[in-house]
Amino acid sequence: MMASDDGSAKVLAGGQSLVPMMNFRMASPSRLVDINAITELDYIKADGNAIRIGALARHNQILGSDLVRERCGVLAQAYGHVAHHTVRNRGTLAGNSCHADPASEMPAVLLTLDATFHIDGSNPRSVAASDFFLGMYTTAVGGNEYLREIEIPMLAAGRRGYFDEISMRQGDFAICGVAAVMTIRNGVCSNARIAYCGIAEHQFRLTEAEQWLEGRAANAATALACADLAASSVQPGGDVKASSEYRRHLVRVLTGRVLETVFNESGLERT
Amino acid sequence: MSEKLLVSLEVNGEVVEHETEPRTLLSTFIRDGLGLTGTHVGCEHGICGACTVVLNGVTVRSCLTFAVQANGGKLKTVEGLLRRDGSLHPLQKKFAEHHALQCGFCTPGMLMTCEEICRNKPAATREEIREGISGNLCRCTGYQTIVNAVADYLENPHG
């Protein structure tokens, strides 16, 4: 149906990001393709070592899922910062990902989880998270395509994650948000993923910080040092919500806070 | 396309049919099409919560839903909280008793949200009530009286 259109057709799932833009007259799709009746896309299921989340899985279903909480806790934990209950009743993780607001939380979390995005349509293919979020409101999904499923590896033993952000009010998009996932064994970090939202044109992983953490002791000094490294490595944007300097400050504070949480016993851990 | 479509749905327990354009928002359909002006439109982008209704058992932002998406569904608006004899729902009575409204603009959306909180979490703590209403903005009350009303209702659901 989308292929027969002039190219400005949009998929409508939850509509919690698209319809506001339409109401603002910032988006004027010629046609909306409502997929809400395609119940086959509404699933959250375990498949071997992965969790597969279909296009129609709503935020509240995901955050309330025992499977997600037990096997990929940081995904559920981060949802505390995403919108509010009523918006989460309709909004979908797939839709949030495709909308790709630079300040959206879940793309940062999905980057740290090495998620894979399965795209269907004119050119079916799978795209790694690090190749999915390309720019402001821009993802690897093209016209005549839609995101069918997000595949997330379950956290392996010893692997922990956490997300935190600063926003104007709880539920608002992030002024700065940080997600971190890593393996901690015998008090030593390895295989770290650290991703940011709200500070650039799209969510991204800070590979300098990830590599620096390899083999470091999971303690307060490491958290501080890594936070300093992160703050000096980013080029945050400034806007009406926050200056570039303030965002840089938030990178330092939040990176340290998230790392401390991951390092200590209260960090989310799957044993 | 601006051709009209017939939308058929159950509204507050009664089956209703009404024509609408595909582009019409549910909030417009409810207010202008059905004449149910209890549902209010505040921000038109999902943040204020004034437009909150219950569609197919869960709260939704009617300003972010298209009327045609409600076809075949079950809609409950604030008008549907009234008892059959026309008296207020016990939750509404608690709102009145606790001064949980002043101008009343947020109130319909707040009531629909609170009704869902009470349905899902009959043992909700004050903190959980606070969290639950965090998606509904109120400029008048400072929220405390709303939390009081809901907490009282949960303890005394029959008024």
Side-chain angles (χ1 to χ4, degrees):
Chain A
M1 189 175 186
M2 290 175 71
S4 67
D5 201 77
D6 65 2
S8 79
K10 295 283 282 180
V11 170
L12 177 65
Q16 304 299 287
S17 294
L18 176 60
V19 184
M21 291 196 87
M22 292 176 67
N23 287 346
F24 283 143
R25 307 298 192 260
M26 288 167 70
S28 305
S30 57
R31 204 182 283 264
L32 294 178
V33 182
D34 185 343
I35 64 168
N36 285 283
I38 310 177
T39 50
E40 297 90 332
L41 294 174
D42 183 358
Y43 58 87
I44 303 164
K45 62 188 180 198
D47 181 6
N49 283 333
I51 300 177
R52 292 186 180 274
I53 297 179
L56 279 183
R58 313 284 173 179
H59 292 311
N60 273 342
Q61 292 172 301
I62 300 166
L63 82 89
S65 155
D66 288 336
L67 174 65
V68 170
R69 190 175 36 81
E70 286 162 17
R71 308 307 296 268
C72 196
V74 60
L75 193 67
Q77 178 263 325
Y79 262 120
H81 296 277
V82 176
H84 297 104
H85 181 85
T86 295
V87 169
R88 294 193 302 258
N89 274 342
R90 291 284 291 178
T92 62
L93 183 60
N96 181 281
S97 300
C98 290
H99 180 71
D101 188 298
S104 178
E105 297 82 0
M106 299 319 275
V109 177
L110 292 170
L111 277 167
T112 60
L113 292 172
D114 295 321
T116 303
F117 293 81
H118 299 295
I119 299 172
D120 251 0
S122 49
N123 177 22
R125 64 193 184 290
S126 300
V127 176
S130 45
D131 297 321
F132 187 82
F133 302 101
L134 302 176
M136 286 183 78
Y137 309 108
T138 310
T139 67
V141 181
N144 299 334
E145 299 189 317
Y146 73 100
L147 177 62
R148 179 176 47 80
E149 176 186 282
I150 301 173
E151 179 190 340
I152 304 170
M154 296 179 191
L155 288 178
R159 209 153 168 73
R160 304 175 191 162
Y162 195 70
F163 175 88
D164 200 2
E165 76 175 29
I166 293 290
S167 57
M168 289 294 289
R169 299 161 303 182
Q170 177 164 7
D172 283 354
F173 277 147
I175 296 172
C176 175
V178 184
V181 172
M182 66 199 66
T183 302
I184 299 182
R185 241 183 225 112
N186 302 321
V188 174
C189 306
S190 65
N191 206 14
R193 305 279 185 273
I194 306 181
Y196 295 83
C197 62
I199 66 171
E201 303 252 306
H202 62 88
Q203 294 78 355
F204 65 96
R205 280 169 49 190
L206 193 56
T207 47
E208 301 98 300
E210 294 174 352
Q211 284 156 16
W212 184 90
L213 271 179
E214 192 70 26
R216 305 264 173 188
N219 59 29
T222 298
L224 277 175
C226 191
D228 278 343
L229 171 64
S232 59
S233 304
V234 295
Q235 303 296 331
D239 62 15
V240 64
K241 282 192 218 154
S243 66
S244 172
E245 297 77 46
Y246 182 53
R247 280 199 165 89
R248 192 183 295 281
H249 170 74
L250 291 180
V251 166
R252 177 179 288 106
V253 171
L254 286 170
T255 303
R257 204 183 277 178
V258 168
L259 288 178
E260 285 239 30
T261 306
V262 175
F263 290 169
N264 72 35
E265 301 281 9
S266 65
L268 297 145
E269 176 171 8
R270 202 207 129 217
T271 46
Chain B
M1 40 180 182
S2 58
E3 82 213 31
K4 296 216 172 184
L5 298 173
L6 192 65
V7 172
S8 170
L9 71 163
E10 188 183 297
V11 180
N12 298 326
E14 277 188 38
V15 177
V16 164
E17 277 192 345
H18 198 83
E19 275 194 332
T20 189
E21 292 181 37
R23 67 188 177 128
T24 302
L25 296 173
L26 184 60
S27 49
T28 309
F29 180 81
I30 290 169
R31 291 177 52 81
D32 300 350
L34 302 181
L36 297 171
T37 53
T39 302
H40 298 154
V41 177
C43 71
E44 296 186 291
H45 60 283
I47 289 185
C48 77
C51 72
T52 305
V53 296
V54 174
L55 181 62
N56 301 330
V58 297
T59 53
V60 302
R61 302 290 200 228
S62 60
C63 75
L64 300 185
T65 312
F66 292 94
V68 291
Q69 293 185 289
N71 189 44
K74 282 190 183 182
L75 178 68
K76 189 159 154 194
T77 67
V78 66
E79 288 87 351
L81 288 180
L82 287 179
R83 308 287 82 187
R84 257 184 257 267
D85 64 4
S87 62
L88 293 177
H89 187 287
L91 180 61
Q92 289 174 306
K93 286 187 197 160
K94 290 300 179 189
F95 265 56
E97 279 168 36
H98 288 273
H99 304 290
L101 71 158
Q102 291 180 29
C103 80
F105 195 83
C106 78
T107 308
M110 193 67 80
L111 282 166
M112 304 318 284
T113 294
C114 289
E115 198 261 331
E116 185 180 54
I117 294 168
C118 295
R119 239 189 306 131
N120 289 344
K121 288 192 170 146
T125 62
R126 290 182 72 89
E127 196 49 49
E128 287 171 323
I129 297 168
R130 225 185 286 279
E131 169 79 34
I133 64 171
S134 59
N136 291 76
L137 298 178
C138 174
R139 292 294 284 129
C140 297
T141 65
Y143 303 101
Q144 193 67 10
T145 50
I146 296 172
V147 175
N148 293 344
V150 177
D152 187 2
Y153 170 75
L154 286 176
E155 278 197 36
N156 307 291
H158 301 294

